[in-house]
């Protein structure tokens, strides 16, 4: 079987074009420009590149973006004051604090300081609670991106058995919670596996949809899946590769070459889930702007 490639870049492009038009309309009809503040402390190269990607994505669709870049030594107290200021700024509808933060800063304290109405990452316990009980809220971007990628590529989630490998608070757990809701584009039966699961293959072989979110290459191999399975690979792992200019290449958590021979559909890495994550951040920022004016 030749797997269909679930092209996250294309799906993200289509969604961002819809959002660009929505932003134009918000400005014309309501004089409303959605605004996102991205806070970066330190110079971690991966974080710098994520923050740049977010700023460019905002610019492309007409969202106002404010970058708050601060040195590694920025005190926690000043960061909390900055968050309070952003909470009160009417031009800012979304606040994103890039993780990880330096060791001297308590990231929970900082994330909990963000007004839940501006929590476009969906990490505040208030919004996590609302998601858990199936209320409308800001959904965390990576799980929401996975759901949208499936839905927009006409892969039904309803009544399917979804097996998720990984139980982090930003991917595995919220995705499990979202997909088992008694809601449209959900209603799945969900199994969550992790490092203490005995024989992960026993579960993944029963899955209609496998989501690999462990952060380890080859966590899902061909012998662990059934013919026709849909595989969503969330993992982003650097593998040494001297044929590349950078000296490495990116691979996911699934053995793409062999798993794709059995799967009916699979996401590539890169170009699968990654582009969807930023897209859902833009979505949440526009949603927050609309809610701020009830339009
Ligand atoms: P994380 O916080 O490190 O969590 C990894 C989870 O996978 C943990 O629950 C861990 O189990 C489980 N796990 C690790 N190795 C395993 C194994 N061999 N077998 C079974 N379970 C295993 O990672 P994360 O933040 O969820 O991210 C996961 C991956 O997705 C990473 O590669 C990350 O870079 C990537 N990611 C990509 C995007 C994107 O937009 N493309 C966004 C977020 C994350 P325990 O709980 O038992 O330790």
């Amino acid at each position: 079987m030749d797997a269909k490639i679930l092209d996250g870049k294309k799906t993200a492009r289509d969604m961002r074009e819809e959002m660009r038009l929505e932003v134009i309309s918000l400005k014309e009809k309501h004089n409303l420009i959605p605004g996102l503040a991205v806070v970066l402390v330190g110079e971690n190269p991966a974080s710098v590149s994520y923050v740049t990607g977010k700023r460019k994505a905002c610019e492309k669709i007409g969202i106002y973006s404010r970058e708050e870049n601060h040195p590694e030594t920025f005190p926690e107290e000043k960061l909390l004051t900055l968050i309070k200021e952003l909470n009160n700024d009417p031009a800012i509808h979304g606040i994103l604090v890039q993780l990880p933060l330096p060791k001297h800063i308590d990231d929970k304290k900082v994330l909990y300081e963000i007004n839940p109405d501006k929590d476009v990452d969906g990490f505040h316990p208030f919004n996590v609670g609302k998601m858990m009980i199936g209320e409308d809220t800001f959904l965390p971007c990576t799980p929401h991106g996975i759901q949208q990628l499936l839905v927009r590529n006409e892969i039904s989630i309803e009544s399917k058995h979804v097996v998720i490998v990984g139980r982090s608070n930003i991917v595995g757990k919220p995705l499990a919670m979202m997909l088992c809701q008694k809601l449209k584009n959900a209603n799945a039966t969900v199994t969550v596996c992790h490092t203490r699961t005995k024989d992960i293959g026993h579960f993944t072989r029963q899955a209609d949809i496998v989501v690999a979110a462990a952060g380890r290459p080859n966590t899902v191999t061909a012998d662990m899946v059934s013919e026709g399975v849909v595989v969503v690979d969330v993992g982003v792992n650097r593998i040494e590769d001297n044929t590349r200019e950078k000296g490495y290449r990116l691979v996911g958590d699934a053995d793409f070459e062999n798993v794709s021979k059995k799967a009916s559909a699979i996401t590539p890495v890169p170009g699968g889930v990654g582009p969807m994550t930023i897209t859902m951040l833009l979505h949440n920022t526009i949603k927050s702007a609309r809610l701020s004016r009830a339009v």
Side-chain angles (χ1 to χ4, degrees):
M1 182 178 287
D2 256 345
K4 175 184 172 181
I5 302 298
L6 298 173
D7 186 347
K9 271 195 206 161
K10 183 184 179 307
T11 306
R13 211 169 33 239
D14 292 348
M15 292 183 74
R16 290 185 203 189
E17 178 55 18
E18 291 166 20
M19 289 180 203
R20 191 181 67 80
L21 299 175
E22 190 179 353
V23 171
I24 291 174
S25 154
L26 283 176
K27 192 174 177 194
E28 281 176 3
K29 289 191 190 146
H30 306 286
N31 194 26
L32 174 61
I33 301 173
L36 175 70
V38 180
V39 181
L40 174 65
V41 183
E43 278 150 21
N44 175 326
S47 296
V48 171
S49 121
Y50 288 142
V51 165
T52 309
K54 285 164 188 170
R55 174 172 47 76
K56 286 188 180 159
C58 283
E59 281 166 5
K60 272 198 177 156
I61 69 159
I63 290 181
Y64 162 66
S65 83
R66 173 168 159 190
E67 258 186 63
E68 282 286 343
N69 296 341
H70 296 279
E72 186 82 22
T73 51
F74 199 56
E76 184 183 273
E77 239 180 77
K78 281 199 175 172
L79 183 56
L80 293 171
T81 306
L82 171 64
I83 301 291
K84 282 187 188 117
E85 187 202 308
L86 294 170
N87 280 341
N88 294 321
D89 184 342
I92 296 299
H93 303 99
I95 303 169
L96 182 147
V97 177
Q98 187 64 48
L99 299 176
L101 286 167
K103 290 216 162 52
H104 67 278
I105 297 177
D106 178 351
D107 45 3
K108 264 193 199 159
K109 217 168 166 182
V110 174
L111 294 180
Y112 293 6
E113 190 63 43
I114 296 174
N115 180 343
D117 291 343
K118 297 192 178 187
D119 169 40
V120 286
D121 253 341
F123 290 163
H124 194 289
F126 182 74
N127 288 322
V128 174
K130 283 177 89 173
M131 175 192 66
M132 152 99 190
I133 58 174
E135 275 190 27
D136 186 34
T137 185
F138 298 117
L139 296 172
C141 300
T142 301
H144 195 194
I146 293 168
Q147 187 185 37
Q148 284 299 310
L149 186 62
L150 292 170
V151 169
R152 290 205 168 224
N153 285 280
E154 285 163 1
I155 292 172
S156 166
I157 298 166
E158 176 100 20
S159 303
K160 298 287 170 61
H161 182 198
V162 180
V163 176
I164 302 169
V165 185
R167 58 174 165 186
S168 74
N169 287 334
I170 63 166
V171 188
K173 264 194 265 177
L175 181 65
M177 206 44 72
M178 281 168 61
L179 298 188
C180 75
Q181 295 293 334
K182 196 168 184 173
L183 288 172
K184 194 172 164 234
N185 299 330
N187 275 315
T189 302
V190 181
T191 301
V192 179
C193 301
H194 44 76
T195 55
R196 306 294 165 93
T197 303
K198 278 189 200 159
D199 190 4
I200 292 175
H202 168 77
F203 299 98
T204 51
R205 276 188 289 274
Q206 296 174 45
D208 300 301
I209 301 173
V210 170
V211 179
R216 184 173 153 272
N218 291 319
T219 302
V220 175
T221 50
D223 60 310
M224 292 169 69
V225 297
S226 299
E227 289 285 339
V229 69
V230 172
V231 176
V232 177
D233 195 346
V234 189
V236 181
N237 307 293
R238 281 186 182 190
I239 293 277
E240 200 182 300
D241 184 345
N242 294 325
T243 67
R244 304 284 173 106
E245 202 181 306
K246 288 179 177 165
Y248 67 86
R249 67 193 155 92
L250 296 180
V251 299
D253 288 351
D255 169 8
F256 183 89
E257 193 190 338
N258 294 306
V259 170
S260 62
K261 288 178 187 150
K262 285 176 95 175
S264 59
I266 188 166
T267 61
V269 177
V273 174
M276 294 301 293
T277 296
I278 295 190
T279 303
M280 302 327 293
L281 172 70
L282 304 175
H283 165 89
N284 279 349
T285 305
I286 297 172
K287 180 185 175 101
S288 175
R290 280 187 175 283
L291 287 169
S292 73
R293 293 262 201 97
V295 293

